Amino acid sequence: MKISIITATFNSGATLRDTIQTVLTQTYQEIEYIIIDGNSRDNTLEIVREFEPYFDGRMKWISEPDNGIYDAMNKGIRMATGDIIGILNSDDFYNDENVLADIVNAFGCKKTDCVYGNLVFVDSAKPDKIVRRWIGSQHTPGAFLKGWHPAHPTFYARRTCFEQYGDFDLSFEISADFELMLRFIEKNGCSNYYINRCFVKMRQGGASTGSIKNIIKGNKNILRAFRKNGYHISCLYPAKRLLPKLINVITTQIRLE
């Protein structure tokens, strides 16, 4: 079973080396690594070319202007030939060398369409310092409407899901990942399985969480994602969604102190 890993880059030279190395060190090697670069002006492409020989033909990459990260991800999805597709952001890295092996094993044993797990947020300057943990749980029908959703950096799906239900909707500048997971799991009933283990360590400061303005914009887009997929929910939903995250932040801080 081949797995396609997609990394979108743009001036990612400061972190990309860590990301690529964590792919190379995975024990599961039946992979296809796809890098979609948005015409970087730093040393991103130098790093890509440096590591390309280590993949023995299993790396694909392009560099050209795009319409944002979700457009880049869609390009990668269209290039993917693996049975499974996952996203690894250019400032993220796998928790350990067995992550992909465990993901592929779950797809094979559980005969599922989607797999997801836990996420750890780390300090951007000190990746060994944990800032917050996102502990997931198994989806139940209607869970998205109650504030639940998987951590997108841990979300892997069969390529057939993208072929049947579509890729990222570019009208969502922020939260297209939420809309895609809502569409796959809640609306179309893709079978899914939660693994209670950390998949990815994510440097703090993503597009949807990097500022108060983007958090507000992201939640507006989430409300629009529900409307697009035929769900009518209260305008109070963002508070319901953010409360578990706030509790998670407080709990993590208590554990770390």
Side-chain angles (χ1 to χ4, degrees), residues 144 147-149 172 174-179 182 208 214-229 231 233 237-238 241-242 245:
F144 272 86
W148 177 97
H149 65 88
F172 291 86
I174 297 176
S175 303
D177 45 9
F178 175 89
E179 191 279 327
L182 172 70
S208 62
N214 279 348
I215 290 173
I216 294 172
K217 185 175 183 179
N219 279 286
K220 287 182 178 179
N221 276 344
I222 284 172
L223 293 176
R224 185 162 67 87
F226 278 113
R227 291 195 296 270
K228 174 199 167 185
N229 288 283
Y231 295 99
I233 61 171
Y237 169 84
R241 173 174 175 263
L242 292 173
K245 293 186 177 183

Side-chain angles (χ1 to χ4, degrees), residues 76-97:
I77 291 168
R78 289 192 290 269
M79 290 173 61
T81 62
D83 305 287
I84 304 164
I85 295 176
I87 306 293
L88 182 65
N89 294 324
S90 63
D91 51 0
D92 297 350
F93 50 97
Y94 289 119
N95 181 64
D96 58 73
E97 69 274 11

Side-chain angles (χ1 to χ4, degrees), residues 8 19 31 61 63 70 95-96 100 112 176 206 213 226 229 239-240 244:
T19 303
I31 66 169
W61 64 274
S63 181
Y70 295 120
N95 181 64
D96 58 73
L100 294 184
T112 189
K213 179 181 178 181
F226 278 113
N229 288 283
K240 183 187 298 185

Side-chain angles (χ1 to χ4, degrees), residues 3-9 16 19-20 22-23 32-36 68-80 84-95 99-100 103 107 115-119 151-159 162 166-168 176-178 180-181 184 199-202:
I3 183 167
S4 297
I5 308 299
I6 300 168
T7 296
T9 62
L16 182 60
T19 303
I20 296 177
T22 197
V23 176
E32 172 183 67
Y33 190 40
I34 303 171
I35 297 179
I36 308 297
I69 190 169
Y70 295 120
D71 183 35
M73 291 176 181
N74 282 347
K75 290 180 182 181
I77 291 168
R78 289 192 290 269
M79 290 173 61
I84 304 164
I85 295 176
I87 306 293
L88 182 65
N89 294 324
S90 63
D91 51 0
D92 297 350
F93 50 97
Y94 289 119
N95 181 64
V99 171
L100 294 184
I103 290 171
F107 273 100
V115 168
Y116 45 90
N118 300 334
L119 175 68
H152 183 252
T154 75
F155 184 76
Y156 288 73
R158 292 189 184 274
R159 180 160 51 91
F162 292 93
D167 50 21
F168 294 101
D177 45 9
F178 175 89
L180 181 138
M181 294 186 296
F184 279 20
F199 285 7
V200 172
K201 292 183 177 179
M202 176 180 180

Side-chain angles (χ1 to χ4, degrees), residues 115-250:
V115 168
Y116 45 90
N118 300 334
L119 175 68
V120 169
F121 294 84
V122 298
D123 188 288
S124 59
K126 300 177 181 178
D128 292 333
K129 181 181 178 182
I130 296 174
V131 177
R132 178 163 71 93
R133 301 180 191 274
W134 183 326
I135 306 301
S137 60
Q138 179 61 46
H139 171 263
T140 56
F144 272 86
L145 284 73
K146 300 174 183 177
W148 177 97
H149 65 88
H152 183 252
T154 75
F155 184 76
Y156 288 73
R158 292 189 184 274
R159 180 160 51 91
T160 51
C161 292
F162 292 93
E163 293 170 347
Q164 186 170 0
Y165 303 118
D167 50 21
F168 294 101
D169 184 339
L170 300 189
S171 71
F172 291 86
E173 182 182 352
I174 297 176
S175 303
D177 45 9
F178 175 89
E179 191 279 327
L180 181 138
M181 294 186 296
L182 172 70
R183 188 184 346 130
F184 279 20
I185 297 176
E186 197 70 62
K187 180 179 181 180
N188 290 295
C190 291
S191 60
N192 58 93
Y193 182 71
Y194 163 67
I195 304 177
N196 186 16
R197 63 103 87 212
C198 179
F199 285 7
V200 172
K201 292 183 177 179
M202 176 180 180
R203 287 178 171 87
Q204 190 106 19
S208 62
T209 60
S211 69
I212 296 298
K213 179 181 178 181
N214 279 348
I215 290 173
I216 294 172
K217 185 175 183 179
N219 279 286
K220 287 182 178 179
N221 276 344
I222 284 172
L223 293 176
R224 185 162 67 87
F226 278 113
R227 291 195 296 270
K228 174 199 167 185
N229 288 283
Y231 295 99
H232 301 282
I233 61 171
S234 167
C235 60
L236 297 177
Y237 169 84
K240 183 187 298 185
R241 173 174 175 263
L242 292 173
L243 182 59
K245 293 186 177 183
L246 178 60
I247 294 172
N248 183 268
V249 170
I250 295 172

